[in-house]
Amino acid sequence: MDDKLIFEKSKKGRKAYTLPKWNGEKNFNIADKYFRSGKIGLPEESEQEVIRHYVNLSTKNHHVDKGFYPLGSCTMKYNPKINEKLASLEGFTEIHPYQDEGSIQGVLELYHELDSMLSEVSGMSKVSLQPVAGAHGEWTALKVIRAYHETKGNVRKKVIIPDTAHGTNPASIIMAGYEVVQLHSNAEGLVDVDELREAFDEDTAAFMITNPNTLGLFEKNIKEIAEIVHSKGGLLYMDGANFNALLGIVKPADMGFDIMHFNLHKTFSTPHGGGGPGAGPIGVVEELIPFLPVPDVIKEDNKYKLNYNVPQTIGKVHSFYGNYLILVRAYIYMKVLGSDGLHRVSENAIINANYVKKMLEGHYDLPYKQHCMHEVVFSGENLLQYGIKTLDVAKRLLDFNMHAPTIYFPLLVHEAIMIEPTETEGKEVLDNFIAVMKQIAQEAQEDPEKLKMAPETTPVRRLNESLAAKNLNLKYEEKD
Ligand SMILES: *Cc1c(COP(=O)(O)O)cnc(C)c1O
């Protein structure tokens, strides 16, 4: 058999690669034991049965198109269908990363404009679109921070985070070769400025925080925090996963941040979960531009070009130019909403979270009582007296066709219930959720056994989640 790929014209007139047909001879260099002895047992079903199978499966799973999904921290919001429609246009999907620049001018223009739009909303001077996840953006940014200090002849060893930090923050710090120093939050759930002042020395490269933090609280002392960090020659990093609380209201660069990542798949829509796909561009102030990954897109003589000529760059951090179709979706999202729309995103996110906070206060413990931003963290501690844990509350919600909020995170809140309603939900949905949460708190007192048995209505009840994760079985198994 000829093992070369055959180059053909597809029906649509474009070039396509296809494998030649196997002529049935075992002339491969493969041991006999690896050849099939019988026919492939693929299921044979009609189109109708296949469609029914997948539609049924899709309704067994919970997703944001089916019901409320108030997962805190990760912003699982509704993704406008126009994003999907436009991102699947052939001009976007039928291109190849090895095409020459002249034939992808529109693509490069989109990169260029998205860079400006993200720079505009963040106040940063330039954005690199290459990292493909929030965590990847963190790591890339830390590499930039390291390169910055090194050119100053200054190898710093530590990066500081607060105890509310998302788990990816300390992991990225270690991956970038730094030591992690963790600060305690103060009684208000915010950065303890005095502790930061004491901890931040000339051996510290950066302070890495999320604002608003993962308790949904705005770091009101952010200006003072920036001053402390800058007075020691350090850099202030913003984890931008919670950017849907700031859009059109405040720019990270104006708060004193030097560098940040965006989670396009959270703030600017794109369905995500299960580890991807994502896009985690980083934005930087002027001083850090020389260290950004290559290539970037520049405009010269009215043409867009991929620019590799960046002498101090940290290099490439991903194959080709990042997760292109996610960048397309973010671009469409911003274009459709415009600046007023983006402002309303944050307004609604904040109003929705505060409405839920107000309505559930008294039914669940509320460790931090001040005004929240896009998410609110309750504690289920008041239900422990009836033998009910936060996990039981989360499981019971599934019976009402609602996804559970994030639970047991952030770690510093016992029995944490972290609710992010998101900006896309209307009052009716929130009222329904609030009524269900109140009913569950009532059931905890009156019928705790019911909660411990929940969920009752899902295709499977309580799973041994750690066992399932450790013994993952995704194989197709034919039923007899
Ligand atoms: C989701 C999240 C991250 C990590 O982003 P990924 O895209 O999942 O890698 C980091 N920080 C915070 C606060 C997050 O919510």
Side-chain angles (χ1 to χ4, degrees):
M1 184 186 113
D2 181 2
D3 60 358
K4 280 206 195 86
L5 293 173
I6 294 177
F7 194 53
E8 284 178 346
K9 285 232 159 162
S10 76
K11 279 192 215 106
K12 288 179 181 169
R14 278 186 305 275
K15 287 170 181 172
Y17 297 97
T18 43
L19 275 170
K21 280 216 175 72
W22 180 39
N23 62 11
E25 278 173 41
K26 291 185 188 173
N27 55 357
F28 302 99
N29 198 9
I30 297 173
D32 271 356
K33 64 176 178 183
Y34 293 120
F35 281 92
R36 282 183 191 282
S37 51
K39 277 179 79 175
I40 304 174
L42 287 178
E44 289 198 10
E45 303 290 349
S46 65
E47 179 178 305
Q48 172 172 290
E49 288 306 313
V50 172
I51 300 275
R52 283 179 183 159
H53 172 72
Y54 283 109
V55 170
N56 281 328
L57 276 187
S58 77
T59 59
K60 284 187 174 130
N61 202 355
H62 188 89
H63 44 90
V64 77
D65 287 347
K66 190 176 151 192
F68 190 43
Y69 207 133
L71 201 70
S73 183
C74 277
T75 312
M76 299 297 277
K77 70 186 179 190
Y78 178 76
N79 297 287
K81 295 292 173 258
I82 189 170
N83 290 1
E84 296 311 308
K85 192 169 175 187
L86 298 183
S88 48
L89 289 175
E90 274 187 15
F92 292 134
T93 58
E94 301 287 317
I95 52 171
H96 194 277
Y98 284 135
Q99 264 176 249
D100 63 64
E101 286 168 13
S103 69
I104 50 163
Q105 284 294 301
V107 173
L108 298 181
E109 183 176 357
L110 188 145
Y111 274 83
H112 200 257
E113 245 191 85
L114 184 58
D115 171 353
S116 326
M117 294 197 292
L118 291 173
S119 297
E120 173 60 31
V121 292
S122 62
M124 294 292 163
S125 302
K126 186 155 180 61
V127 168
S128 167
L129 300 167
Q130 213 175 105
V132 294
H136 192 199
E138 292 168 22
W139 177 83
T140 306
L142 286 156
K143 286 286 189 196
V144 167
I145 290 171
R146 179 180 281 285
Y148 164 81
H149 286 301
E150 277 174 6
T151 52
K152 298 203 159 222
N154 192 338
V155 186
R156 300 186 176 212
K157 292 203 188 71
K158 297 179 285 185
V159 174
I160 301 182
I161 53 170
D163 55 5
T164 47
H166 190 270
T168 52
N169 294 179
S172 303
I173 293 169
I174 299 284
M175 293 291 286
Y178 285 112
E179 266 167 51
V180 180
V181 177
Q182 191 173 295
L183 299 185
H184 302 97
S185 297
N186 64 18
E188 283 183 296
L190 303 176
V191 170
D192 185 326
V193 176
D194 292 329
E195 200 183 324
L196 175 69
R197 191 175 288 115
E198 211 151 288
F200 207 102
D201 56 18
E202 254 109 43
D203 208 17
T204 313
F207 183 42
M208 192 173 185
I209 48 169
T210 309
N211 198 17
N213 66 22
T214 55
L215 292 167
L217 305 174
F218 190 78
E219 295 286 354
K220 58 183 180 186
N221 302 317
I222 192 65
K223 281 282 189 192
E224 199 181 345
I225 290 170
E227 270 166 36
I228 294 170
V229 170
H230 292 150
S231 73
K232 296 286 161 79
L235 295 172
L236 189 60
Y237 178 93
M238 186 172 105
D239 175 330
N242 297 338
F243 203 33
N244 66 333
L246 306 177
L247 274 176
I249 297 176
V250 60
K251 297 182 181 186
D254 293 343
M255 290 191 262
F257 286 99
D258 304 295
I259 182 164
M260 68 174 290
H261 81 259
F262 304 83
N263 291 62
L264 296 190
H265 49 290
K266 295 180 183 175
T267 314
F268 302 97
S269 85
T270 280
H272 69 286
I282 61 168
V284 296
V285 294
E286 198 77 31
E287 250 190 305
L288 300 177
I289 293 177
F291 311 105
L292 285 176
V294 282
D296 69 336
V297 176
I298 53 168
K299 196 174 179 186
E300 251 176 32
D301 309 328
N302 249 353
K303 280 233 156 68
Y304 294 96
K305 287 189 182 142
L306 289 167
N307 176 32
Y308 286 87
N309 185 19
V310 183
Q312 287 177 293
T313 177
I314 58 163
K316 235 172 166 324
V317 296
H318 193 70
S319 54
F320 304 114
Y321 321 111
N323 259 340
Y324 175 57
L325 287 174
I326 298 192
L327 305 177
V328 171
R329 287 178 177 89
Y331 175 89
I332 296 164
Y333 182 76
M334 294 173 88
K335 280 282 187 192
V336 168
L337 288 177
S339 63
D340 289 348
L342 290 178
H343 188 274
R344 274 208 309 283
V345 161
S346 294
E347 242 172 32
N348 287 344
I350 295 168
I351 290 168
N352 281 355
N354 279 284
Y355 182 61
V356 169
K357 170 176 169 281
K358 190 90 201 144
M359 299 302 278
L360 289 181
E361 195 173 353
H363 300 270
Y364 294 85
D365 281 351
L366 184 65
Y368 301 100
K369 304 217 171 358
Q370 72 263 42
H371 180 78
C372 68
M373 296 293 277
H374 64 302
E375 62 195 2
V376 54
V377 181
F378 286 97
S379 161
E381 250 184 348
N382 58 318
L383 305 183
L384 288 177
Q385 57 184 312
Y386 313 112
I388 292 302
K389 295 184 177 144
T390 283
L391 181 70
D392 304 314
V393 175
K395 294 291 181 194
R396 181 73 175 127
L397 273 171
L398 304 179
D399 282 333
F400 297 91
N401 193 27
M402 292 175 190
H403 196 279
T406 296
I407 55 174
Y408 300 108
F409 180 79
L411 302 177
L412 85 159
V413 174
H414 295 145
E415 298 293 315
I417 307 175
M418 184 195 213
I419 301 167
E420 179 177 359
T422 80
E423 62 273 15
T424 53
E425 301 293 349
K427 184 164 179 293
E428 227 170 82
V429 172
L430 299 186
D431 283 337
N432 187 26
F433 171 69
I434 289 159
V436 167
M437 285 294 282
K438 286 182 181 171
Q439 180 184 327
I440 294 174
Q442 192 74 23
E443 283 175 355
Q445 300 176 40
E446 289 165 5
D447 193 359
E449 284 315 306
K450 189 178 183 69
L451 289 194
K452 284 186 211 160
M453 294 303 289
E456 288 170 358
T457 57
T458 49
V460 285
R461 306 281 296 265
R462 288 202 191 195
L463 299 173
N464 183 337
E465 282 153 21
S466 27
L467 185 72
K470 281 182 191 152
N471 295 324
L472 199 63
N473 181 2
L474 296 173
K475 274 196 306 234
Y476 168 75
E477 274 165 25
E478 196 168 8
K479 290 205 189 81
D480 295 325

